[in-house]
Amino acid sequence: MAKQALFFLSLLLVFLFHCTTTLGQPAQAPTLPAVASPANAPAPPGPPDVIKILQKVGGFTILIRLLKSTGVADQLKGQLNDSSIRFTLFAPNDNAFSNLKAGTLNSLSNEEKVRLIQFHILPTYYTLENFQTVSNPVRTQAGDNKPGDYPLNVTSVGSQVNISSGLVNASVSGTLYSNFQLAIYQVDKVLLPLDLFVPKPPSPAPAPAPTKPKAKKTPAAASPKTSTSSTVVDSGVASLAKHGILVSIGVAIFIPFSL
Ligand SMILES: *[C@@H]1O[C@H](CO)[C@@H](O)[C@H](O)[C@H]1NC(C)=O
Ligand SMILES: *[C@@H]1O[C@H](CO)[C@@H](O)[C@H](O)[C@H]1NC(C)=O
Ligand SMILES: *[C@@H]1O[C@H](CO)[C@@H](O)[C@H](O)[C@H]1NC(C)=O
Ligand SMILES: *[C@@H]1O[C@H](CO)[C@@H](O)[C@H](O)[C@H]1NC(C)=O
């Protein structure tokens, strides 16, 4: 009995040992290649992947979402496949996006969102030093249609790089990536292009414009008034007519007495 129990116990131990080792091995096996492949992956495959770079840095969820939803990420991916095509991306982080006035992004149509994202991309590879000699305004992807559209000014002294859209003054706060084909610089603000957001300052100008609708309304209000005054005149005429009838009746009554 004791021998049987011992045999059974040893069998159980062997079984448990087998389980823990076989369970332990698969647990280690996937984690090791998983760690190894991302470490190897970024270097060998040629074209840099903007989304992967931003995901790796972290804190760019809104920019990543916009890059994807606008299709600009795919566009960049395809273009960066050609090693002669170069870009500089100004990347505002989530904090920069959260500092926007509420509803700023929602006020944009899909096409305007594409322009907003393209405004953060220069069709040239710039090192931070290059910005010291850049001639303003620099061209952005958003302004591809007409030269002079969506201009952006970049000024640099030493290692400090400032960017002005005319609406927003931003600064480069770090280099996230730079490989002679693609440079990604973190910026502390979302670059709002005048071309998209200048229509809003004119909308305060339409604040005087509401006086125009008012001016239009006053004639419109005047015409109801004239109509009401005409009805007043009508009723006045009516009362006069009634009065006249009364007078004539009075006269008619008086005449017989005078006769
Ligand atoms: C990149 O180029 C390779 C061949 O050079 C091609 O097979 C691949 O489909 C291209 N990828 C994109 C996203 O254009
Ligand atoms: C950049 O902007 C900061 C203020 O935000 C200013 O102090 C600095 O002089 C500017 N530098 C350049 C190179 O324009
Ligand atoms: C950008 O630079 C150009 C040329 O120096 C200048 O005419 C323009 O006013 C600047 N715009 C902004 C928004 O700073
Ligand atoms: C941006 O900076 C310029 C001077 O460098 C200043 O005149 C302008 O008012 C600033 N604009 C904003 C929106 O802060």
Side-chain angles (χ1 to χ4, degrees), residues 7-243:
F7 176 71
F8 185 73
L9 198 73
S10 59
L11 261 184
L12 195 75
L13 278 172
V14 167
F15 176 74
L16 281 175
F17 180 74
H18 185 71
C19 280
T20 49
T21 48
T22 48
L23 278 175
Q25 273 169 353
Q28 279 176 345
T31 51
L32 280 174
V35 168
S37 66
N40 295 340
D49 187 322
V50 171
I51 297 295
K52 278 185 187 162
I53 294 164
L54 292 175
Q55 278 170 341
K56 207 169 177 182
V57 178
F60 292 88
T61 55
I62 300 172
L63 179 62
I64 288 170
R65 200 186 68 212
L66 283 167
L67 278 164
K68 285 181 174 172
S69 68
T70 55
V72 173
D74 284 340
Q75 224 174 10
L76 283 177
K77 203 173 178 179
Q79 287 173 307
L80 286 168
N81 211 18
D82 178 344
S83 60
S84 70
I85 296 177
R86 289 159 194 199
F87 294 112
T88 298
L89 168 66
F90 291 126
N93 63 9
D94 291 340
N95 195 36
F97 275 101
S98 67
N99 284 334
L100 286 177
K101 239 188 278 170
T104 302
L105 288 182
N106 288 341
S107 73
L108 299 177
S109 69
N110 287 340
E111 206 209 307
E112 287 171 333
K113 279 177 189 162
V114 172
R115 292 280 171 213
L116 175 69
I117 292 306
Q118 287 177 329
F119 191 59
H120 290 72
I121 303 168
L122 315 180
T124 315
Y125 168 78
Y126 290 106
T127 64
L128 286 179
E129 280 184 354
N130 289 155
F131 284 130
Q132 294 181 9
T133 53
V134 85
S135 74
N136 282 316
V138 296
R139 222 157 60 87
T140 67
Q141 285 289 92
D144 266 352
N145 296 342
K146 277 184 270 168
D149 271 2
Y150 292 87
L152 196 62
N153 282 6
V154 183
T155 53
S156 173
V157 172
S159 59
Q160 185 170 42
V161 178
N162 289 353
I163 304 155
S164 176
S165 73
L167 274 182
V168 171
N169 293 335
S171 307
V172 167
S173 48
T175 303
L176 304 181
Y177 187 86
S178 186
N179 83 333
F180 304 104
Q181 189 190 6
L182 173 71
I184 305 180
Y185 300 112
Q186 182 172 333
V187 290
D188 61 347
K189 290 189 187 122
V190 178
L191 309 174
L192 301 178
L194 273 172
D195 299 63
L196 287 186
F197 291 94
V198 86
K200 276 181 184 172
S203 86
T211 55
K212 276 179 189 171
K214 267 180 193 169
K216 277 178 190 170
K217 271 176 194 168
T218 40
S223 64
K225 264 183 195 167
T226 51
S227 69
T228 50
S229 65
S230 71
T231 55
V232 166
V233 168
D234 285 348
S235 65
V237 168
S239 70
L240 264 179
K242 277 180 196 167
H243 206 66

